[in-house]
Each structure stands twice: as structure tokens, then as C-alpha cells.
Amino acid sequence: MYNIVTVADLIQISPQDHEKRSARALEDNINAKYADKVIHRVGLVVGLFDILKFSEGLIGHGTGIVNVHVDFRLIVFRPFKGEILQGRIVANDEYGIRVSMDFFDDVWVPGPVMLFDNSLYNSAEDAWVWKTDDGVELFFDRNETVRFRVEAETWNDQAPQNRPGEAQDPEEYTKSPYTITASMQQSGLGPLLWWEDAEGEEGEGEAEG
């Protein structure tokens, strides 16, 4: 789920940070620039792991800004295909289910193709429902904690594509830079409550026997 990646970049230290130790100033500015941001085809940056090396600082003429070339490593969130993760349902609609992991909100489970067979969207309940072979209806309710399987990832490069002065397509601003497509169609996936209840019933049956 997490990876360590090496990055080389020019980090700028503003005059108000000059009173800090060099390493601390670099750490703060690297985190400010990268933490909680997506690097295209690398992943979501969780934070700085460590600093490998840095150059002498060069002070910009008339600005007081110190420019430092830094090699550092970042902790990055990018799960692999087939990995089982846990999150919380935050939205349901006729197209599928959106899941949040608190620090990452762009997990999408398309319905019904990535849900259990015989799953349908119930607009009155605003939830997807799985009708089991026994005729039991199990709901994918909002705020339920769920397990899901990573199936694919989608990247949207949000770097400006237009020439200076040209209008940017408004839709480009609404696309997530990184989206995970997931499934909940195998035993053990979906709301944890389903499987906890099933395990409890099995345990009671064994005790009675």
C-alpha cells in the first residue's frame, strides 16, 4: 500500500524560515510542497521519509529566498492490483459506490459489475443492495466500514495543457488526479458487519451442537 520514492527538486526557503535549522527548514518546505498531493503515476504523497543530501543554498537577488537542490525520499500511497483494503462508504448512486479511506477519498466501485451478482441500486434507500441466494437483502449503507479489492487505477494529469492566455476546460479542474477502481464481489468483501454476523451465527451453531 505504501512505497518509498526518491525525488530530486529545488526547494525554496523563504526569509521567515531562516531562523530554523537548515534540515528543519527543508523538511517543512518539502512537506508543504508535497504532502497530501498526487505525483502523476507515482501516487499520493503521505509525507517526507528522509533527506539524502542537499546543496549549498543560493540566495535569490533581492528576494532573500534561499534555493537549495535536495535529494529526498517520500512515503507514497499507491496500492497494488489485487490488494485488499478497508474504507468507509461515503456515497451511493445508480453508477456505483464511492469509498473513503479518510486520507484518500477517490475509491470507486462501479455497480453492478464490481459488486456481488444480484446487486441492484435501491433509489428509495439510496443504497446498493445484494440479494443473496437465500433471498436475504444486504445493504451497502452509507458510513458502513467495508473491505474492497483494488482492480485498477486511473491517472489524470492536471498540468496546464493550454498556452498562456488560453482558457482551460472547466471539466479538467473537477477530475481527480488519481482514482482507484475497486470491487466488492468476493467472500469477505463489502461491509464488515455482514461477515461478523455470519461468523457469529456459525459460532452459535457449533456451540449448540
Side-chain angles (χ1 to χ4, degrees):
M1 181 166 64
Y2 296 107
N3 302 301
I4 303 294
V5 298
T6 301
V7 176
D9 196 4
L10 180 68
I11 302 299
Q12 296 186 321
I13 301 175
S14 59
Q16 56 263 38
D17 285 338
H18 288 179
E19 62 184 28
K20 299 179 181 178
R21 291 185 300 106
S22 297
R24 177 58 185 276
L26 289 173
E27 290 173 8
D28 290 348
N29 282 277
I30 290 170
N31 276 319
K33 184 173 182 178
Y34 284 95
D36 296 324
K37 297 180 176 66
V38 171
I39 301 176
H40 190 61
R41 298 198 178 279
V42 174
L44 173 69
V45 177
V46 177
L48 176 68
F49 182 71
D50 62 8
I51 293 175
L52 301 176
K53 62 180 180 179
F54 55 90
S55 68
E56 292 282 340
L58 297 176
I59 300 177
H61 180 68
T63 65
I65 294 174
V66 178
N67 298 288
V68 185
H69 289 277
V70 189
D71 291 354
F72 53 93
R73 294 190 293 179
L74 298 170
I75 303 170
V76 174
F77 168 74
R78 187 184 182 182
F80 57 84
K81 183 177 180 179
E83 186 168 2
I84 305 298
L85 300 176
Q86 186 169 301
R88 177 175 54 86
I89 294 176
V90 292
N92 274 290
D93 63 26
E94 60 186 302
Y95 302 106
I97 298 171
R98 185 168 295 279
V99 177
S100 170
M101 298 178 67
D102 293 332
F103 66 92
F104 182 76
D105 297 329
D106 293 306
V107 179
W108 175 246
V109 184
V113 292
M114 291 295 183
L115 297 172
F116 293 96
D117 290 341
N118 299 322
S119 291
L120 298 171
Y121 178 64
N122 185 323
S123 57
E125 297 289 342
D126 189 26
W128 281 83
V129 184
W130 173 35
K131 188 171 183 179
T132 69
D133 293 337
D134 298 330
V136 177
E137 291 188 338
L138 299 175
F139 287 76
F140 293 87
D141 287 321
R142 186 176 300 182
N143 293 322
E144 284 286 350
T145 300
V146 294
R147 289 194 192 96
F148 58 88
R149 183 181 188 271
V150 176
E151 300 295 346
E153 57 186 11
T154 303
W155 301 92
N156 175 40
D157 187 358
Q158 296 190 318
Q161 301 296 319
N162 297 7
R163 298 189 187 92
E166 289 185 345
Q168 182 79 6
D169 185 349
E171 290 187 4
E172 292 299 316
Y173 293 112
T174 62
K175 292 180 181 178
S176 171
Y178 177 43
T179 302
I180 291 173
T181 300
S183 66
M184 292 189 286
Q185 55 188 175
Q186 297 175 347
S187 179
L189 302 185
L192 302 188
L193 187 62
W194 295 357
W195 309 106
E196 290 171 357
D197 289 348
E199 290 170 2
E201 291 173 1
E202 290 177 4
E204 290 174 4
E206 293 173 358
E208 291 173 0

